[in-house]
Amino acid sequence: MSEAKFFIGGTLAATGERLDLAVKNGKIIETSQSLTPGAGAEVVDVTGKLILPGMCDLHVHLSPPAGGKAETLASGASAALAGGITRLLSMPAGKPVVDRLSVVKSLNDANAAVGLVHVHQAAAITLDFDGESLSDFHEIKQAGVQIFCDPGRPIQSPAVLRRALDYARDYGITFALCSETPALTPSGGINEGQISYELGLPGIPVCGEDIAVSRDVRLAESVDSKIHLQCLSSAGSVDSVRRAKERGSQITAEVGIHHLLFTEESIGDYDTTFKVSPPLRLKSDTEALLRGLKDGTIDCLVSAHLPQTAFSKAQDFATASSGMTGLETTLLAAYDRLVACGK
């Protein structure tokens, strides 16, 4: 035991009890409410700190864009570890697009070389996100890929998505879907309503998401396939998923931390920090999302981490990039703003 590192005085987040840990070679080897470190052992006083499992984050934009100006694999993994996220699903939105086995293998090797957290790589549903030409699901699955998605790009053709879902069922994979209706999604990046009117920005109506969620659920049901709905933002979407689960559909869904903590009012005087996709909605939507998370309609909380450069955010609201970081803050914010206060 003398080689172990002892963490003394921590608080078990699940129960509030005091707990000491002995860790050796990265593994917890002993726990007790009162450990006695051996002679010469390294002791770390963690009084006032919380002990809890590492978070698994199912929505992270970790694959760096061309040049890696906003994020690199190493900086993203470091941010995850600092935020208590030890396992994550990396979206396939880098350059090149993750739509071939060779790209998946290259990223798997690169993430393994960084080695800070467990990274599961997602791959694209369609080649180059064109919404029409399907990736080779069978081949890519050989590299361990279980989740396919075209992040931020809904598959517009119902026929293409239904055909893809047939393959997904047969190959035992899952599609993570961005549920938007492109014709109802202008570039303004703000919820359609009083705030968008006051700011003079083109708004995105909530019905665009509601329609797309309903469509995607029905298509999945028609071929008995699994789907995972990404970043729900509306009360209507929560209701659609709840009804689908009551019917026995193979549907899972997620909510981003920012959609639980902020509303369209957070945008204030054109603050591009709060420009995200889907946009921040009304307080009533936020409350419905939280109820859905509590009752199991929504299956998981995600960071939806999408870093942008300072330059891309320092534009006028209509042209600024969507997205905000979340790897370092999601777990703490969820505990502080949702758990500790009893929500």
Side-chain angles (χ1 to χ4, degrees), residues 125-126 129-132 150 152-162 177-185 211-212 215-216 219:
I125 298 174
T126 62
F129 302 142
D130 68 3
E132 295 289 340
D150 285 8
R153 298 169 177 83
I155 297 177
Q156 297 188 50
S157 168
V160 171
L161 181 54
R162 192 171 190 270
L177 300 178
C178 163
S179 296
E180 295 179 356
T181 304
L184 294 173
T185 309
I211 291 168
R215 183 203 75 155
D216 293 349
L219 286 173

Side-chain angles (χ1 to χ4, degrees), residues 136-273:
D136 190 333
F137 306 129
H138 178 69
E139 181 184 64
I140 294 174
K141 185 183 176 183
Q142 308 312 306
V145 173
Q146 294 292 324
I147 305 292
F148 290 76
C149 61
D150 285 8
R153 298 169 177 83
I155 297 177
Q156 297 188 50
S157 168
V160 171
L161 181 54
R162 192 171 190 270
R163 178 162 56 93
L165 286 166
D166 267 327
Y167 286 112
R169 179 200 60 225
D170 294 343
Y171 291 140
I173 57 179
T174 300
F175 287 168
L177 300 178
C178 163
S179 296
E180 295 179 356
T181 304
L184 294 173
T185 309
S187 59
I190 186 173
N191 182 52
E192 182 183 79
Q194 185 63 33
I195 302 296
S196 66
Y197 175 78
E198 291 174 356
L199 296 179
L201 293 169
I204 298 174
V206 71
C207 66
E209 177 178 320
D210 296 344
I211 291 168
V213 166
S214 180
R215 183 203 75 155
D216 293 349
V217 166
R218 290 298 186 178
L219 286 173
E221 289 176 334
S222 72
V223 295
D224 194 26
S225 183
K226 297 178 183 178
I227 59 170
H228 177 72
L229 298 171
Q230 294 184 301
C231 279
L232 298 187
S233 71
S234 77
S237 294
V238 178
D239 288 341
S240 291
V241 173
R242 185 177 286 116
R243 291 195 299 270
K245 288 190 171 186
E246 289 172 352
R247 294 193 299 269
S249 304
Q250 299 183 74
I251 309 299
T252 56
E254 68 186 33
V255 61
I257 183 67
H258 47 280
H259 282 113
L260 295 178
L261 301 184
F262 307 115
T263 68
E264 61 176 5
E265 294 181 356
S266 303
I267 293 169
D269 189 19
Y270 302 96
D271 188 346
T272 60
T273 301

Side-chain angles (χ1 to χ4, degrees), residues 83-119:
I85 294 170
T86 55
R87 187 178 298 273
L88 60 85
L89 180 68
S90 179
M91 297 294 102
K95 293 293 185 180
V97 172
V98 188
D99 57 5
R100 291 174 174 79
L101 180 62
S102 60
V103 181
V104 175
K105 288 183 174 180
S106 177
L107 278 172
N108 284 345
D109 290 344
N111 285 315
V114 173
L116 293 177
V117 296
H118 299 282
V119 177

